[in-house]
Amino acid sequence: MQKHEPGAVPPGFILLESKSTDRTELLFMLQQGVYIPLPETPVPGRVSVTSFLLRVLNLDDETFRDEIKTMMLNNMVVDNPDRTDLKRNDVLIVSGAMPGLVGAMLRSDSPIKVLRSTISGENLKESENSSLVGDESPAFIRLKAFNTVLRNHMDDILRYGVYIGIDDEQTT
Amino acid sequence: MNKLLRVKMGKTPSWSVEEMDAYAGMGGRNLTSKIIATEVPADCHALGPENKLVIAPGLLSGSAAAISGRLSVGCKSPLTGGIKESNAGGQAAQTMARLGYGAIVLEGEPEAGDLFKLVITKDEVKLEKADDLKGLGNYAVIDKLRVLHGEKAAYMSIGQAGEMKMASASIACTDMELHPTRHCGRGGVGAVMAAKGLKAIVFDDEGCGMRQPVDPEAFKAANKVFTKGLQNHSVTGQALPAYGTNVLANIINEAGGYPTNNFTTGQFPGVGRISGETQAELEEKRGGKATHGCHRGCVIQCSGIYNDKDGKYLTKQPEYETIWAHGANCGINDLDTIARLDRMDDDFGLDTIEMGATIAVAMEAGLAKFGDGEAAIRMVQEVGDGTPLGRILGAGCAVTAKALGIEKAPVVKGQAMPAYDPRPIQGIGVTYATSTQGADHTAGYAIATNILKVGGFVDPLKPQGQAELSRNLQIATAAIDSTGMCLFIAFAVLDQPETFQALIDLINAFYGLSLTADDVTALGKSVLTIERDFNKKAGFTKEDDRLPRYFRREKLAPHNVVFTVPDEELDEVFNW
């Protein structure tokens, strides 16, 4: 995996600077998703959902378990974030606990997860992530934050800078 | 709550106050369904004199128990043809319970054209002609009534849709600000109230105190634990107060289960513009509220106040189902348009889910393009005006689809599906299909499966049958619906055994009982058994416990899946 150099804007991306105190567009942008470079890890080509979120959300492990109740990867529910690895261009959703029966179903490792087995991500295997190895271009994850995570961790997500796609900027 | 008020409409309307007798000790959905099943012939016409409308607060309504202000309304439904329990928040349950009434039963049939209001105070009951309220929307009705009966009373009313006996007509309950925004929405209960000749009910509880528990100390202690459990839980203490139920929009969209353009796809590109997070930001920016209770004693505060662009009150914070129904399902991504539709629904007295689903069907039929907000507003206006098209739309999604030649009506037992597509989230489809109420997202809402241990303990590490889980969820929900507690307590109850125990302790301390979790389970089963039996007598068979065929045929993006739960498994849900 190629380390991304700060300040280098990859093709297809633009860098936005905002001095406004109105956070409406930032809130909207984080719901739509921002691109975050994958970090270097001790094991080349392996970045778990947990390790990525601990870093991006500036959380310790215990707080992570308490606060992050709902995660989705490419429209599939993540039930085991420790063993689910990220790959280039993945879309990762992070949220607190959601209300409603379906909200409860969608929680990671929900006791009623069988009710949404069609969209359970238990089949996401490490082997699918081989695309992280051997590709020299910067690897990004599109992160979307909802619910209490959006409220509590907006600054954490933004602190190292994020990228948005040109198409996304046009929609905002 | 030891009194039953029976109002008999006819040539000379009358009323009587009776003892609860055989219905003593019952509340909420348990009571409404029991009375309907006992006193209403299942094969009667829903708008005929044999049907009855039953109004009942929950077991703990009117007490100091936190969040105990749900009101149940029951009848044979003109929308589904089966039994119906529709419940709402607002102030009506608390005031009715403090007035000492466990139930109001409306029966018979008025003289043609007669319209009444029922006024209940501490010392008397009055049934008065209400000709001055004819043809008015709920907001105008309450404006008139509050002048006569004061700011402290609670009100129930029907709008024009009810008066026209539309199958999607609701009954409005006023909130703390006396806005008619809390609706017994589903199943056409407003049409049945109109069929009884009743436009409004006034509950004036001046001089009535809080209902007192048998064991005040134990009750106070249980209430403290219960309240703390709700406030500490991440859903009831954080997500719902901050964003309301519409916090679900983004995540259901990501799951690919956010029905869009009449259930033709599972993701809506404009979801970020109508999400709970965006909505809360907008409400606060305009001087409204993103955190607000729908009745006194609510500690979750999942509602809010939605102001227009000029900062003036427009409506309450529209809920997730409403924003989806009038938003994504109709391709509309503008919160102000959706809020206007919500206001119109509340005023005309319409179920927002049914109306949104109906307009989407009309859009598919070519009456307007998906995304055309002004066209949606025009259609709801036609419903309120009672034009020929409006009459068809007001009859609901299934009738509209039939009238316009559309196959894809997302209904079960004639009632429109709520905001979760059952193809990617198949478990909700099991509940939609088998619920006694028609397609209903709240029928299996109480997720207390492991704590209640209904139908056996569910091991989270082992796959369980979807039928078994759906059954357990429906049992638990039926029990909670009988307490008068808001269903949102279910989240804290799922994760925190002490909160569930506190709920049982509250009931025990209030009534001097010693109920256990098994008794709660038995209550839920009893309610469902009564309702299933009524529906069977009304002509329902297992073939009615099915989703429309096209959900097994038409794949839904982005997962490109169909509903696959076998009929045999659906038939097992109520096999106990």
Side-chain angles (χ1 to χ4, degrees):
Chain A
M1 186 175 61
Q2 178 82 19
K3 183 178 179 183
H4 172 64
E5 296 297 332
V9 182
F13 289 83
I14 61 171
L15 187 60
L16 287 184
E17 239 179 281
S18 173
K19 293 177 181 171
S20 168
T21 55
D22 184 348
R23 292 156 74 102
T24 306
E25 288 305 325
L26 279 177
L27 278 170
F28 182 74
M29 193 175 74
L30 285 165
Q31 292 176 65
Q32 294 289 93
V34 294
Y35 294 86
I36 295 178
L38 274 168
E40 291 278 13
T41 59
V43 183
R46 294 280 307 277
V47 181
S48 72
V49 168
T50 301
S51 64
F52 179 76
L53 290 176
L54 288 177
R55 174 182 172 275
V56 172
L57 302 180
N58 196 25
L59 291 171
D60 59 43
D61 194 66
E62 188 180 346
T63 315
F64 173 77
R65 309 283 168 200
D66 286 346
E67 208 176 313
I68 310 303
K69 300 293 188 186
T70 311
M71 288 162 278
M72 300 188 77
L73 189 61
N74 304 325
N75 305 125
M76 306 290 274
V77 179
V78 176
D79 285 312
N80 189 342
D82 298 351
R83 297 188 62 183
T84 304
D85 290 344
L86 297 170
K87 61 181 186 297
R88 188 181 306 275
N89 299 326
D90 271 346
V91 181
L92 179 64
I93 277 70
V94 59
S95 169
M98 285 289 181
L101 174 62
V102 178
M105 288 179 201
L106 295 178
R107 287 190 215 171
S108 293
D109 211 24
S110 165
I112 54 173
K113 63 185 176 185
V114 67
L115 294 172
R116 45 84 173 157
S117 56
T118 306
I119 56 167
S120 293
E122 288 173 331
N123 295 326
L124 292 170
K125 301 293 185 192
E126 298 161 7
S127 58
E128 294 177 13
N129 298 335
S130 57
S131 61
L132 281 182
V133 181
D135 191 328
E136 296 300 305
S137 62
F140 286 87
I141 295 299
R142 184 173 187 173
L143 180 72
K144 301 184 182 185
F146 303 146
N147 194 347
T148 48
V149 175
L150 178 59
R151 185 184 62 184
N152 299 340
H153 295 286
M154 178 191 283
D155 293 339
D156 293 317
I157 295 169
L158 297 175
R159 70 193 155 132
Y160 296 130
V162 297
Y163 296 86
I164 61 172
I166 290 171
D167 289 346
D168 305 324
E169 194 277 332
Q170 287 171 339
T171 64
T172 66
Chain B
M1 293 204 314
N2 56 353
K3 296 184 288 185
L4 186 151
L5 175 59
R6 198 176 287 275
V7 180
K8 296 175 183 172
M9 306 306 285
K11 196 170 183 181
T12 309
S14 63
W15 54 268
S16 61
V17 177
E18 306 169 1
E19 296 291 315
M20 290 290 284
D21 290 335
Y23 303 124
M26 297 181 186
R29 178 175 170 184
N30 183 27
L31 181 54
T32 61
S33 290
K34 179 69 176 174
I35 294 176
I36 295 301
T38 304
E39 301 187 9
V40 174
D43 60 352
C44 74
H45 194 288
L47 301 178
E50 297 85 3
N51 198 8
K52 300 188 182 189
L53 189 80
V54 182
I55 303 167
L59 287 172
L60 294 171
S61 300
S63 75
I67 205 162
S68 59
R70 299 297 290 192
L71 183 82
S72 291
V73 170
C75 60
K76 176 170 178 171
S77 165
L79 186 75
T80 69
I83 200 163
K84 174 57 61 180
E85 186 266 352
S86 184
N87 65 61
Q91 289 292 105
Q94 304 285 30
T95 50
M96 181 177 163
R98 283 176 198 145
L99 283 159
Y101 292 96
I104 298 172
V105 181
L106 305 175
E107 55 190 49
E109 191 172 52
E111 288 281 278
D114 279 355
L115 202 58
F116 295 86
K117 69 175 176 182
L118 183 65
V119 182
I120 304 171
T121 65
K122 181 170 177 280
D123 301 317
E124 63 180 350
V125 175
K126 288 189 286 188
L127 193 59
E128 300 174 341
K129 280 284 188 76
D131 292 336
D132 61 324
L133 302 180
K134 268 186 187 173
L136 296 182
N138 283 311
Y139 274 90
V141 167
I142 302 306
D143 283 346
K144 278 182 172 270
L145 291 177
R146 67 195 293 180
V147 171
L148 291 172
H149 303 285
E151 303 291 310
K152 292 183 178 173
Y155 302 91
M156 294 176 74
S157 60
I158 56 171
Q160 295 93 334
E163 283 194 57
M164 289 184 272
K165 300 186 183 67
M166 292 176 173
S168 56
S170 63
I171 299 173
C173 301
T174 48
D175 58 22
M176 290 189 290
E177 291 76 26
L178 293 186
H179 295 136
T181 59
R182 311 294 150 181
H183 287 242
C184 298
R186 308 235 68 189
V189 292
V192 179
M193 184 158 152
K196 302 303 168 199
L198 201 63
K199 178 74 174 176
I201 304 175
V202 181
F203 297 105
D204 179 356
D205 66 348
E206 187 177 358
C208 300
M210 193 89 77
R211 292 177 66 214
Q212 294 302 316
V214 169
D215 185 343
E217 288 306 312
F219 183 81
K220 190 176 174 184
N223 202 24
K224 193 174 175 184
V225 174
F226 186 66
T227 301
K228 190 177 173 191
L230 294 175
Q231 290 172 332
N232 286 347
H233 191 271
S234 57
V235 171
T236 48
Q238 295 174 41
L240 282 172
Y243 300 117
T245 54
N246 194 32
V247 71
L248 276 165
N250 273 317
I251 202 77
I252 303 299
N253 191 64
E254 289 299 329
Y258 197 49
T260 299
N261 295 357
N262 193 29
F263 287 75
T264 53
T265 183
Q267 289 188 315
F268 181 49
V271 66
R273 292 292 178 202
I274 61 173
S275 70
E277 293 88 338
T278 301
Q279 182 184 11
E281 181 78 2
L282 183 67
E283 285 168 348
E284 289 181 347
K285 194 187 280 187
R286 290 178 174 178
K289 289 181 181 174
T291 304
H292 191 53
C294 78
H295 70 273
R296 292 188 187 92
C298 173
V299 295
I300 295 178
Q301 308 259 313
C302 72
S303 190
I305 302 290
Y306 192 100
N307 288 344
D308 64 17
K309 286 174 180 168
D310 300 322
K312 291 179 183 168
Y313 171 85
L314 177 60
T315 185
K316 91 285 190 186
Q317 175 178 284
E319 292 190 56
Y320 168 68
E321 303 292 339
T322 302
I323 290 180
W324 159 77
H326 282 309
N329 199 40
C330 295
I332 295 168
N333 68 354
D334 178 59
L335 275 174
D336 284 329
T337 301
I338 296 166
R340 280 180 65 193
L341 289 161
D342 179 68
R343 165 73 182 230
M344 294 171 78
D345 287 342
D346 281 354
D347 199 33
F348 294 140
L350 291 162
D351 174 18
T352 57
I353 296 174
E354 198 67 40
M355 279 316 298
T358 300
I359 291 169
V361 163
M363 286 175 163
E364 182 164 335
L367 270 62
K369 289 183 178 172
F370 284 111
D372 187 342
E374 288 305 314
I377 288 169
R378 282 197 301 275
M379 281 194 260
V380 175
Q381 186 64 48
E382 292 218 34
V383 177
D385 291 344
T387 66
L389 174 63
R391 292 275 186 158
I392 292 170
L393 298 174
C397 184
V399 168
T400 298
K402 190 176 281 189
L404 299 179
I406 295 293
E407 179 210 356
K408 292 171 191 168
V411 301
V412 177
K413 300 182 179 76
Q415 180 167 286
M417 288 181 193
Y420 315 89
D421 197 291
R423 284 165 283 192
I425 310 167
Q426 308 236 331
I428 197 75
V430 177
T431 299
Y432 285 169
T434 60
S435 163
T436 54
Q437 305 291 321
D440 187 336
H441 62 297
T442 65
Y445 212 68
I447 46 181
T449 311
N450 279 349
I451 295 165
L452 284 173
K453 297 182 176 58
V454 284
F457 184 77
V458 176
D459 183 346
L461 301 177
K462 291 181 181 174
Q464 299 284 324
Q466 307 211 42
E468 182 188 5
L469 268 170
S470 178
R471 175 174 63 235
N472 295 345
L473 297 166
Q474 292 190 55
I475 289 169
T477 300
I480 289 182
D481 277 344
S482 302
T483 64
M485 290 287 180
C486 174
L487 264 183
F488 292 166
I489 68 169
F491 314 123
V493 165
L494 168 72
D495 295 330
Q496 300 163 175
E498 70 278 11
T499 310
F500 176 65
Q501 187 56 50
L503 171 62
I504 296 177
D505 292 344
L506 271 172
I507 299 170
N508 286 339
F510 195 87
Y511 288 97
L513 301 172
S514 50
L515 299 176
T516 64
D518 287 343
D519 295 314
V520 176
T521 302
L523 171 63
K525 277 188 176 179
S526 165
V527 173
L528 292 174
T529 300
I530 287 169
E531 292 174 350
R532 293 277 297 181
D533 188 49
F534 183 93
N535 282 354
K536 193 175 174 186
K537 289 175 184 167
F540 285 78
T541 69
K542 64 182 183 180
E543 302 308 321
D544 294 292
D545 288 343
R546 302 285 185 265
L547 301 186
R549 179 71 65 179
Y550 73 90
F551 282 90
R552 294 188 182 279
R553 187 184 70 228
E554 304 273 336
K555 290 181 179 175
L556 189 81
H559 295 291
N560 296 317
V561 289
V562 296
F563 185 71
T564 58
V565 178
D567 289 348
E568 294 73 23
E569 192 168 343
L570 296 177
D571 295 338
E572 285 300 306
V573 169
F574 288 99
N575 188 14
W576 61 54

